[in-house]
Amino acid sequence: AETENYIIHRCNIAGREAGIFSEEALKLINIYSQGIPRKINNLCDLCLVIGMGDKAGMIDEGIVKKVVNDLKTSSEIMN
């Protein structure tokens, strides 16, 4: 619940009143970020960039999974 409230608060500060992240997306962000604010911010930022590129009206679990998979792949390449 803290991660979800954090994301909603950050969106409100940015001027977004309506939710842009689906419930499933919020749950996945919480799992993958482990509730760490910096990771939450990075995941959300990347999800928003991918969502914009895909012209998505909402960030759903598919976009979150896409971002996480891209991060895992780039991490493997860098190691």
Side-chain angles (χ1 to χ4, degrees), residues 2-79:
E2 288 181 31
T3 299
E4 182 177 339
N5 290 336
Y6 176 76
I7 293 170
I8 291 168
H9 173 72
R10 298 282 299 195
C11 288
N12 288 338
I13 288 173
R16 178 75 183 201
E17 292 181 24
I20 193 165
F21 293 90
S22 72
E23 288 295 319
E24 286 300 315
L26 291 170
K27 289 177 187 176
L28 288 176
I29 291 168
N30 181 52
I31 291 167
Y32 292 125
S33 71
Q34 301 170 332
I36 299 169
R38 174 175 266 173
K39 289 183 178 182
I40 296 168
N41 292 344
N42 288 340
L43 274 173
C44 289
D45 184 51
L46 292 170
C47 287
L48 290 169
V49 169
I50 297 298
M52 184 180 68
D54 290 350
K55 297 181 181 172
M58 177 169 274
I59 304 301
D60 62 13
E61 64 272 14
I63 292 173
V64 177
K65 288 178 182 178
K66 185 176 187 179
V67 167
V68 170
N69 287 333
D70 287 350
L71 288 172
K72 285 181 182 179
T73 301
S74 65
S75 174
E76 290 170 2
I77 291 170
M78 299 302 280
N79 290 330

